[in-house]
Amino acid sequence: MCLAVPGRVLDIEERDGTRMATVDFGGVVKEVCLEYLPDLQVGEYAIVHVGFALQRLDEESARQTLELFAELGLLQEEFGDAWEMAATEAGVDPVEEVRNQ
């Protein structure tokens, strides 16, 4: 599943002519393109989908959405370790597998 997730802009820089930001999604930090929101500033929140900030969001709405996503396990599904999730779905304990190697 691919969600549009709210995140808080931590810093902004221009890379190769593209405005990019470091964004915090409730503890998970990712790089995000700001080309669709060129006036977004550090400290503001935005809805992000597949690496692009799409819409500005107020802090309270962002906080509530992140809490709901966390309760539903959607943040882990969206940002979790893909290898770990695949192993879990296959019924393999990834920690035990590493220990046995």
Side-chain angles (χ1 to χ4, degrees), residues 32-98:
V32 171
C33 179
L34 299 181
E35 290 300 302
Y36 295 129
L37 293 174
D39 60 340
L40 195 66
Q41 300 297 314
V42 170
E44 291 187 304
Y45 289 80
I47 298 287
V48 177
H49 180 62
V50 294
F52 289 87
L54 301 177
Q55 181 178 349
R56 185 175 274 105
L57 187 65
D58 66 273
E59 183 175 357
E60 180 61 20
S61 296
R63 187 189 59 75
Q64 289 176 354
T65 302
L66 285 170
E67 285 177 4
L68 177 60
F69 284 2
E71 286 175 26
L72 296 172
L74 296 175
L75 290 179
Q76 177 63 25
E77 182 177 320
E78 187 70 13
F79 295 121
D81 183 320
W83 293 109
E84 182 180 333
M85 289 188 306
T88 301
E89 287 177 10
V92 176
D93 181 350
V95 174
E96 202 53 42
E97 285 295 308
V98 170

